[in-house]
Amino acid sequence: LRAQARTKLRVAVLAATGMVGQRYVTMLSDHPYFRLTTVTGQSSVGKPYGQVISSGPFPVSREAKDLTVKPTSVDGIGEADLVFSPLPTEAAMSLEPELVKRGYNVITDASPHRMDRLVPLVVPEVNPSHLSLLQRQREAGWKGSLVATPNCTAAGLALVLKPIHAELGLKRVLVSTMQAVSGAGYPGVPSLDILDNVIPFIKDEEDKVETEPLKMLGSVGKGGVKPAGFDISAMVHRVATTDGHLESMYVETEDSFNPSKVAELLARFRGEPQELRLPSAPAEPIIVTKEDARPQPRLDRYAGTVPGMSVVVGRIRKGLDSKSGRLTMLSHNTIRGAAGSTILTAELMYRKGLLG
Ligand SMILES: NC(=O)c1ccc[n+]([C@@H]2O[C@H](COP(=O)([O-])OP(=O)(O)OC[C@H]3O[C@@H](n4cnc5c(N)ncnc54)[C@H](OP(=O)(O)O)[C@@H]3O)[C@@H](O)[C@H]2O)c1
């Protein structure tokens, strides 16, 4: 056991006190490949991590509770084989390139570098081959590496679009979202704005939902990633749920959209994480429900073998003609849309020897 513990990689979680950071710490408890050695914060530097978290009923290991919160800076991180970076946008923009220059391997949940030419934007079941861009980073003289996880709404969307695009060919996707308040971080949207209300605007979100899945579903070419050749139109809303983004989509396809065949296609979809039996890989990345009034955030956000890692799809039905269809999907925003997906990417990189 002691030998096994020694071979675990040392990982740092930046902004470990945030909504996403706390998910990381929970999911890294007793992880078979990774050992949490550093947590950083902004306003709680110097305190024991156990004193400053608010993650409620989720388990946090004794070791993590005893870690002292370090400053979020190049010098605050210390020795780490891997850095998880759920930093706020501004901080990520400047700090992440600095960390890469110092030789750290960074995987980020923040948005500034997601569309950079040499940065793979990855959902492990969708586009593991894009990790080949790490070779280009090395050729370009990068000392460390940078991989990005997509926007929380785009992650679940790409996962569902992947098998549909591969089998039927997508022409157009219209998606309308109902996004949980935890998506805005803590304390997020003021309670008096969101209770008894729906807000039909989330800054910069529609642009991310319309572009990021196309990068993920695109192919790596000479100049970087060539985006997939279909269009996405997004209409986003903030609603008064705690966790789990609901997305209603209308898809137009090249081939006929047969609802029961699409249900089968989605239910049997598996990716490399399932083949490799990675620790955070859910047995079914996409769970299909046939019940009329599902998926629902309260009932379905933790469905599946790894809570929060499966998306749940329901209400699969025809659209206006034979080459279009409608479906509703639920995806846990801080797990499948952030920490969980990023840890799964890290597990894949570990197994492929990309973190050495
Ligand atoms: N929430 C989601 O569903 C979700 C999903 C996907 C991606 N993301 C992305 O993940 C990142 C974090 O989101 P979140 O929801 O976890 O936010 P959050 O709950 O607001 O947490 C923010 C974290 O950043 C720290 N922080 C604040 N200002 C900082 C600064 N200037 N420099 C360094 N650290 C600073 C905070 O530390 P203190 O607690 O010490 O103040 C806290 O740990 C964002 O880029 C967000 O876009 C979020």
Side-chain angles (χ1 to χ4, degrees):
L1 263 177
R2 213 174 286 149
Q4 198 185 16
R6 266 206 302 273
T7 60
K8 287 189 187 184
L9 298 186
R10 298 157 302 176
V11 303
V13 174
L14 310 185
T17 50
M19 296 301 303
V20 177
Q22 291 186 53
R23 287 289 183 197
Y24 273 110
V25 175
T26 296
M27 293 190 78
L28 289 168
S29 285
D30 296 322
H31 195 282
Y33 305 166
F34 307 129
R35 186 164 53 92
L36 180 64
T37 48
T38 306
V39 289
T40 80
Q42 174 80 354
S43 55
S44 48
V45 174
K47 294 185 181 156
Y49 183 71
Q51 262 181 31
V52 296
I53 48 168
S54 60
S55 62
F58 302 105
V60 174
S61 68
R62 184 73 257 158
E63 293 81 5
K65 281 186 181 158
D66 290 342
L67 288 173
T68 300
V69 178
K70 295 278 174 16
T72 305
S73 65
V74 179
D75 297 319
I77 295 168
E79 291 194 5
D81 303 298
L82 174 63
V83 176
F84 291 115
S85 173
L87 283 174
T89 310
E90 303 280 298
M93 201 179 302
S94 52
L95 187 61
E96 288 171 353
E98 284 303 313
L99 294 175
V100 173
K101 272 190 203 149
R102 287 273 189 115
Y104 287 107
N105 294 313
V106 180
I107 318 186
T108 180
D109 298 289
S111 59
H113 304 291
R114 285 182 191 145
M115 302 305 280
D116 290 3
R117 202 172 57 87
L118 294 183
V119 175
L121 181 65
V122 176
V123 167
E125 286 92 341
V126 173
N127 59 336
S129 65
H130 287 202
L131 289 171
S132 65
L133 285 174
L134 293 176
Q135 178 60 27
R136 306 247 181 109
Q137 293 182 2
R138 280 192 288 274
E139 287 161 11
W142 295 22
K143 242 177 124 189
S145 63
L146 183 60
V147 174
T149 289
N151 161 279
C152 46
T153 311
L157 181 62
L159 191 54
V160 171
L161 295 183
K162 161 93 181 185
I164 301 179
H165 189 46
E167 192 78 12
L168 304 181
L170 284 165
K171 276 164 58 182
R172 269 204 318 190
V173 176
L174 314 180
V175 59
S176 183
T177 72
M178 285 137 273
Q179 301 186 208
V181 284
S182 65
Y186 186 87
V189 191
S191 55
L192 284 177
D193 287 350
I194 193 67
L195 289 174
D196 187 31
N197 208 7
V198 173
I199 301 170
F201 175 74
I202 301 170
K203 193 172 179 305
D204 298 331
E205 189 81 353
E206 288 174 351
D207 180 51
K208 292 171 189 166
V209 178
E210 289 171 356
T211 54
E212 292 180 14
L214 301 181
K215 178 171 178 181
M216 285 182 273
L217 294 169
S219 48
V220 176
K222 271 193 180 154
V225 176
K226 183 170 179 280
F230 63 90
D231 293 322
I232 302 177
S233 170
M235 295 150 278
V236 302
H237 308 81
R238 184 75 69 197
V239 300
T241 50
T242 54
D243 289 313
H245 292 349
L246 201 72
E247 305 181 31
S248 277
M249 42 191 121
Y250 188 92
V251 299
E252 292 177 3
T253 47
E254 302 281 354
D255 293 342
S256 293
F257 186 103
N258 175 319
S260 55
K261 283 197 178 145
V262 170
E264 242 175 70
L265 178 72
L266 295 176
R268 68 162 193 262
F269 174 70
R270 302 286 183 274
E272 228 176 295
Q274 284 71 35
E275 280 162 31
L276 294 172
R277 296 178 177 274
L278 298 177
S280 304
E284 299 169 279
I286 303 172
I287 294 173
V288 175
T289 171
K290 293 204 163 64
E291 289 187 51
D292 281 343
R294 304 282 280 275
Q296 294 181 22
R298 244 170 36 194
L299 300 179
D300 298 309
R301 55 170 76 112
Y302 294 113
T305 55
V306 181
M309 284 299 283
S310 292
V311 302
V312 181
V313 174
R315 306 228 54 223
I316 304 175
R317 57 214 191 276
K318 273 191 159 29
L320 290 171
D321 58 28
S322 64
K323 292 184 176 178
S324 60
R326 292 174 277 178
L327 48 151
T328 298
M329 180 268 287
L330 176 77
S331 170
H332 197 298
N333 49 297
T334 59
I335 301 180
R336 175 49 88 170
S341 201
T342 310
I343 290 173
L344 191 58
T345 299
E347 291 168 359
L348 186 65
M349 291 171 71
Y350 175 89
R351 288 284 291 274
K352 284 174 179 280
L354 295 170
L355 292 172

